[in-house]
Amino acid sequence: MALLMMDDEDDRRHFNYEKIVKQQNLSKTKKKQLMKKKELLEDDFQVNVADTRFQALYTSHLFNLDPCDPNFKKTKAVEKFLEEKARQREQKQQNLAKQIQENEIGKKENITKKAVDPALSMLIKSVKNKTEEFQARKKLKIK
């Protein structure tokens, strides 16, 4: 209702996406000319890349941004999305590396713990003694 009651074009500004994209891709001289004429549109739009609604862009391959696509428009917001995706990918790789190191450390600790287990060590000793006795009997039979 507040939007219906609002005065005409007092508080709201509309933007033209096509003009913004065209003006971002202009040369420096053309931009200066438009600045002098005050026809250059400023892209003040700030994207919240941490918004949960954009998570599929970072996690799913179905929503990848393809710069080779003919419909792809390079804007400041798209660059922010690409930077955030690269940052999250790097962070994920670092987390995986940490987990691998922790697993290796955990495995080494488990190995030492198994050797300390008294029941297991007694079993190993008894098997070793029996095999030594068996080997000794076998040598006596051969000679």
Side-chain angles (χ1 to χ4, degrees):
M1 282 305 268
L3 291 174
L4 292 174
M5 301 303 292
M6 195 168 30
D7 291 336
D8 292 333
E9 299 190 28
D10 286 341
D11 295 332
R12 56 187 171 167
R13 283 183 20 200
H14 293 287
F15 68 95
N16 189 343
Y17 179 74
E18 292 176 4
K19 281 187 180 179
I20 291 172
V21 172
K22 284 181 185 177
Q23 288 182 2
Q24 280 186 352
N25 295 330
L26 291 177
S27 65
K28 290 181 181 179
T29 55
K30 293 261 185 182
K31 283 184 183 179
K32 286 181 182 179
Q33 289 175 356
L34 289 174
M35 286 275 256
K36 288 179 183 177
K37 294 180 183 178
K38 296 183 181 181
E39 293 179 6
L40 186 66
L41 294 176
E42 294 183 23
D43 186 16
D44 296 336
F45 183 70
Q46 298 294 323
V47 178
N48 183 6
V49 293
D51 194 347
T52 57
R53 294 176 285 180
F54 298 123
Q55 281 306 111
L57 283 172
Y58 311 126
T59 57
S60 176
H61 69 281
L62 299 173
F63 297 105
N64 275 346
L65 296 174
D66 186 13
C68 299
D69 190 78
N71 295 325
F72 180 79
K73 306 288 189 216
K74 188 173 183 178
T75 61
K76 293 177 186 176
V78 171
E79 288 178 9
K80 286 184 181 181
F81 281 123
L82 293 174
E83 290 172 2
E84 177 67 15
K85 184 170 185 173
R87 187 189 64 77
Q88 285 188 6
R89 185 182 308 130
E90 183 178 325
Q91 186 178 14
K92 184 184 271 188
Q93 288 176 349
Q94 290 175 354
N95 288 341
L96 286 175
K98 286 180 183 178
Q99 286 179 353
I100 289 170
Q101 289 175 350
E102 289 173 359
N103 286 343
E104 289 176 358
I105 292 170
K107 286 180 182 179
K108 289 179 182 177
E109 289 176 359
N110 288 342
I111 290 171
T112 58
K113 287 179 183 177
K114 288 180 181 177
V116 175
D117 187 23
L120 186 61
S121 62
M122 291 295 290
L123 180 64
I124 291 171
K125 285 180 184 177
S126 67
V127 169
K128 283 182 180 179
N129 288 336
K130 287 183 181 180
T131 53
E132 287 174 2
E133 289 175 7
F134 180 75
Q135 294 292 338
R137 279 192 231 144
K138 198 173 188 183
K139 285 182 182 178
L140 288 174
K141 287 183 182 178
I142 293 174
K143 290 183 181 181

